[in-house]
């Protein structure tokens, strides 16, 4: 099956920035640019001819990878592989470990995971909830220049932006609870991430309860059932809205219990 | 573009956005990696890139152009199967054989980073490799046997 032999590059311009500033310039306002990070989402799209980029921006050479720590502040570059996140403290590490398999995690990037649009069968972006829970902010480029904003503000408009990095203050404690995936390559049907700050306040967020990760402020004071005031679960190929609505408070309760016991 | 596969550097002329798998199979005639699903779902095309297992259908060849690609063909030395390949034969860890090159390479990647891998490690490492004949147990046995031998010696 030589599907990809059909991949034409006659009309494709390949952009290979070597630095962050070159990447920002190459991306411009994002018009007609397809960003290739790890390639795990984009390459099959091209192989099956659902996507033929006018411009392909190869991001991996742009020195946008790596995890840096400055005190409790953690900054993760956009092309850092998901496998690199697996050993980070909860909720990030366990959430990353729950994504696909080793081969995919080694290639797929945090930027691709956070920015991916919805898939054909279910929402993508397994990491979104965990990073919302830790109150992460993202730095992105595009029309209007570089912007820095909370992840939950960035997600609805991510399509036209180039994510550069994401940072957050390591919480005092974190917890993650997700549904088991029927197969290692399935996206997460539903997961809840939580973080507890030094002052005892808690932030919760869900992945899989909507088109992208969403914070669950109503449940943050300890009422797990109130999570359903914040999100409206939907039907898709992975799970029904009914099932998600039943399970969401269960996952929230597990996360709250873990956070309670954590300190 | 140059591509180094199994220690040999090739000049590659495939279109710029061709997946690594297609360059290997269609242009270079290296057919160990199998084209199963072409979307990262089955693991039959797994190769090592600098020792790390990757699914070659969802990587572009140009993403790995300055790195060392190893396919199942690159594991044998001087026409002799390596210990892992031999263990697959000994354990009957192949039925139709389509998944076998990906299984062997993914397992090799595991043993490179963790020579004394236990059964949960092996199952986790092979989670992305599908065997539609469902011969998983013998595959796991083969990898564990080699892990015990390699890990025990270190």
């Amino acid at each position: 099956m030589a599907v990809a032999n059909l991949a034409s590059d006659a009309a494709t311009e390949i952009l290979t920035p070597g630095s962050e500033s070159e990447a920002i310039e190459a991306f411009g306002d994002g018009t007609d640019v397809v960003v290739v990070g790890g390639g795990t989402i984009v390459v099959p799209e091209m192989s099956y001819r659902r996507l033929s980029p006018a411009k392909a921006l190869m991001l991996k050479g742009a020195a946008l990878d790596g995890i840096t720590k400055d005190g409790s502040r953690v900054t993760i570059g956009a092309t850092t592989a998901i496998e690199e996140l697996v050993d980070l403290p909860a909720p990030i590490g366990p959430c990353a470990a729950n994504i696909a398999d080793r081969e995919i995690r080694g290639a797929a990037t945090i930027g691709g995971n956070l920015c991916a649009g919805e898939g054909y069968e279910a929402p993508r972006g397994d990491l979104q909830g965990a990073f919302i829970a830790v109150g992460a902010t993202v730095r992105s480029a595009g029309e209007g220049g570089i912007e820095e904003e909370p992840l939950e503000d960035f997600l609805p408009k991510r399509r036209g932006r180039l994510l550069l990095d994401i940072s957050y203050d390591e919480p005092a404690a974190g917890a993650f609870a997700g549904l088991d995936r029927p197969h290692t390559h399935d996206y997460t049907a539903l997961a809840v991430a939580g973080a507890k700050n030094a002052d005892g306040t808690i932030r919760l967020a869900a992945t899989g309860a909507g088109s992208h990760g969403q914070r669950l402020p109503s449940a943050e004071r300890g009422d797990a059932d109130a999570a359903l005031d914040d999100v409206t679960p939907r039907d898709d190929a992975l799970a029904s809205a009914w099932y998600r609505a039943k399970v969401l408070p269960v996952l929230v309760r597990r996360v709250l219990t873990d956070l309670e016991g954590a300190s | 573009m140059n591509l180094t596969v199994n220690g040999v550097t090739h000049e590659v002329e495939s279109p710029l956005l061709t997946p690594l798998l297609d360059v290997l199979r269609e242009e270079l005639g290296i057919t160990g990696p199998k084209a199963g699903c072409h979307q990262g779902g089955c693991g039959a095309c797994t190769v090592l890139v600098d020792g790390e297992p990757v699914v070659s259908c969802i990587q572009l060849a140009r993403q790995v152009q300055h790195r060392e690609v190893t396919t199942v063909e690159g594991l044998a030395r001087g026409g002799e199967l390596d210990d892992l390949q031999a263990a697959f034969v000994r354990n009957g860890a192949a039925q139709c054989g389509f998944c076998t090159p990906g299984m062997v390479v993914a397992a090799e990647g595991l043993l490179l980073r963790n020579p004394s891998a236990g059964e949960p490690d092996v199952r986790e490492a092979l989670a992305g490799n599908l065997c539609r004949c469902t011969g998983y147990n013998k595959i796991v046995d083969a990898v564990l046997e080699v892990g015990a031998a390699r890990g025990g010696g270190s």
Side-chain angles (χ1 to χ4, degrees), chain A residues 117-119 121-125 187-188 208-212 234 236 238 244:
Chain A
E118 288 188 62
E121 299 178 328
R124 293 190 275 225
Y187 286 97
T188 309
S211 62
H212 53 72
R234 305 182 311 181
D236 61 31
L238 291 182
R244 285 183 163 109

Side-chain angles (χ1 to χ4, degrees), chain A residues 116-186:
Chain A
E118 288 188 62
Y120 296 98
E121 299 178 328
R124 293 190 275 225
D126 321 60
L127 290 168
Q128 293 167 351
F131 280 98
I132 291 173
V134 295
T137 55
V138 303
R139 215 162 51 87
S140 71
E143 203 176 344
I146 293 181
E147 283 178 21
E148 187 160 0
E149 61 200 323
L151 176 61
E152 55 259 58
D153 296 341
F154 171 79
L155 287 177
K157 63 176 201 198
R158 63 195 187 279
R159 207 175 171 78
R161 309 288 301 171
L162 176 68
L163 189 140
L164 300 171
D165 56 42
I166 181 162
S167 20
Y168 63 97
D169 287 316
E170 218 157 62
F176 173 82
L179 291 176
D180 284 344
R181 295 164 297 151
H183 183 264
T184 189
H185 288 144
D186 285 332

Side-chain angles (χ1 to χ4, degrees), chain A residues 1-5 7-9 12 14 16 36-41 43-44 46-48 50 53 56 58 60 83 97 100-108 183-185, chain B residues 14-19 22-23 25-26 35-43 46 52-60 62-63 102 106 113 124-130:
Chain A
M1 183 173 74
V3 181
N5 269 4
S8 78
D9 67 338
T12 301
I14 310 282
T16 53
V36 184
T40 56
I41 291 172
V43 175
M46 294 192 294
S47 290
Y48 283 86
R50 294 188 287 243
M58 313 291 292
K60 276 238 164 160
E83 182 65 24
D101 60 16
R102 170 89 191 198
E103 286 87 340
I104 308 265
R105 287 196 302 269
H183 183 264
T184 189
H185 288 144
Chain B
S14 293
L16 292 168
L17 293 178
T18 307
D22 296 277
V23 171
R25 288 182 61 87
E26 307 294 331
C37 69
H38 245 292
Q39 53 183 338
C42 74
T46 304
E52 279 290 321
V54 305
V55 235
S56 63
C57 69
I58 54 172
Q59 292 272 294
L60 300 176
R62 60 174 302 131
Q63 287 178 291
R113 64 179 182 266
E124 168 70 23
L126 299 181
N129 294 74
L130 302 186

Side-chain angles (χ1 to χ4, degrees), chain A residues 89-100:
Chain A
I92 308 298
C95 179
N98 194 46
I99 296 173

